[in-house]
């Protein structure tokens, strides 16, 4: 196997390990996919990887119900730097006005990675939220949604944001979607990372947001 193929295989393994370890609640293993300065940005959380692990653990132990599923994957490798994109689906279950619902959000994980001392790890993860929907678990008991709250957020994750806000989380607005200036900025940051920039984009080291939920 050529070095470039081996690097891509290792990066894909990291992406898959992130999902399997996080969803299984294996926090010690989950920590191994990050570098020590790793940074996570999501609807409900912006902060260090270590803080994200602890917040995810707290949500998991509190009974938060969430799963991730992965699809197509690609990685662009430039020396010891890489940018990976992986199709994903987030499924979160929770109550909206006492009605149990499932929210399904489809998008991509956009990862900034680096190889240090022979090991690839995530330096920054920024999801791209492309579209979502909300379905009642019991079809006969659909909740009546607040249109004003729903429309506060972009099309790509408005139902996910609605559920998280109803659950007491503060959700960040203006995150990257399928199109728009936010995702174009993210692509530019990815190109600069591959070209050797000192940090993986403007989204890195932003002030921490809400930390009481799960992605």
């Amino acid at each position: 196997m050529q070095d470039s193929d081996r690097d891509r295989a290792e990066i894909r393994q990291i992406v898959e390990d992130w999902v399997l370890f996080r969803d299984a609640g294996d926090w010690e293993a989950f920590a191994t996919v990050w570098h020590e300065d790793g940074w996570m940005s999501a609807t409900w959380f912006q902060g260090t990887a270590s803080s994200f692990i602890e917040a995810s653990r707290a949500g998991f132990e509190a009974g938060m119900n969430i799963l991730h599923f992965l699809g197509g994957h690609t990685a662009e490798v430039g020396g010891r730097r890489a940018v990976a994109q992986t199709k994903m689906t987030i499924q979160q279950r929770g109550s909206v006005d006492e009605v149990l619902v499932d929210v399904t959000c489809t998008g991509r994980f956009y990862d900034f990675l680096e190889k240090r001392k022979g090991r690839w790890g995530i330096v920054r993860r920024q999801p791209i939220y492309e579209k979502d929907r909300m379905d009642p678990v019991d079809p006969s008991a659909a909740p009546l949604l607040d249109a004003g709250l729903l429309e506060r957020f972009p099309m790509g994750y408005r139902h996910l944001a609605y559920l998280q806000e109803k659950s007491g989380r503060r959700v960040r607005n203006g995150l990257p979607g399928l199109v728009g200036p936010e995702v174009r900025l993210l692509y530019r940051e990815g190109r600069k990372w591959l070209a050797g920039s000192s940090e993986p984009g403007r989204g890195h080291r932003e002030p921490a947001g809400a930390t009481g939920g799960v992605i």
Side-chain angles (χ1 to χ4, degrees):
M1 180 182 291
Q2 296 182 353
D3 288 346
S4 60
D5 293 334
R6 185 177 295 107
D7 287 334
R8 288 185 175 86
E10 291 177 7
I11 290 167
R12 175 66 183 187
Q13 186 66 57
I14 287 170
V15 173
E16 293 185 352
D17 285 348
W18 192 104
V19 165
L20 269 295
F21 295 153
R22 201 230 66 89
D23 286 5
D26 188 343
W27 310 115
E28 184 175 345
F30 187 43
T32 66
V33 307
W34 304 90
H35 280 310
E36 63 279 0
D37 57 344
W39 190 264
M40 180 70 198
S41 298
T43 52
W44 63 277
F45 180 95
Q46 299 85 46
T48 64
S50 59
S51 295
F52 177 68
I53 293 167
E54 290 308 309
S56 297
R57 181 203 294 265
F60 186 91
E61 292 177 352
M64 299 295 290
N65 187 306
I66 191 158
L67 296 171
H68 298 80
F69 298 89
L70 298 180
H73 168 86
T74 187
E76 185 175 356
V77 180
R80 296 184 177 274
R81 295 279 183 89
V83 170
Q85 296 188 63
T86 311
K87 290 292 295 182
M88 59 82 175
T89 297
I90 304 167
Q91 289 190 337
Q92 183 168 347
R93 176 169 290 187
S95 293
V96 172
D97 300 331
E98 299 184 356
V99 176
L100 193 63
V101 300
D102 282 328
V103 171
T104 303
C105 183
T106 299
R108 281 169 283 159
F109 285 136
Y110 193 96
D111 293 321
F112 298 71
L113 302 104
E114 191 166 28
K115 191 174 187 178
R116 301 174 184 173
K117 298 180 180 180
R119 182 183 76 86
W120 284 98
I122 298 174
V123 180
R124 175 191 173 193
R125 166 161 284 190
Q126 173 61 68
I128 299 170
Y129 302 93
E130 297 177 344
K131 69 174 184 178
D132 74 343
R133 60 180 292 161
M134 179 185 293
D135 299 288
V137 175
D138 177 356
S140 68
L144 182 62
L145 301 185
D146 178 342
L149 175 57
L150 192 66
E151 292 173 4
R152 276 175 44 196
F153 297 99
M155 289 290 292
Y157 61 97
R158 60 178 38 171
H159 295 91
L160 182 62
Y162 193 100
L163 174 59
Q164 292 175 347
E165 288 266 331
K166 283 288 187 176
S167 300
R169 319 304 177 198
R170 289 188 298 110
V171 177
R172 183 175 176 180
N173 214 326
L175 295 172
L178 181 60
V179 296
E182 295 84 5
V183 76
R184 291 196 298 270
L185 172 61
L186 184 62
Y187 294 154
R188 290 196 299 272
E189 291 173 337
R191 291 193 295 270
K192 289 178 180 179
W193 176 248
L194 290 172
S197 65
S198 60
E199 289 195 337
R202 194 176 72 182
H204 187 56
R205 302 301 179 195
E206 292 177 335
T211 57
V214 290
I215 176 180

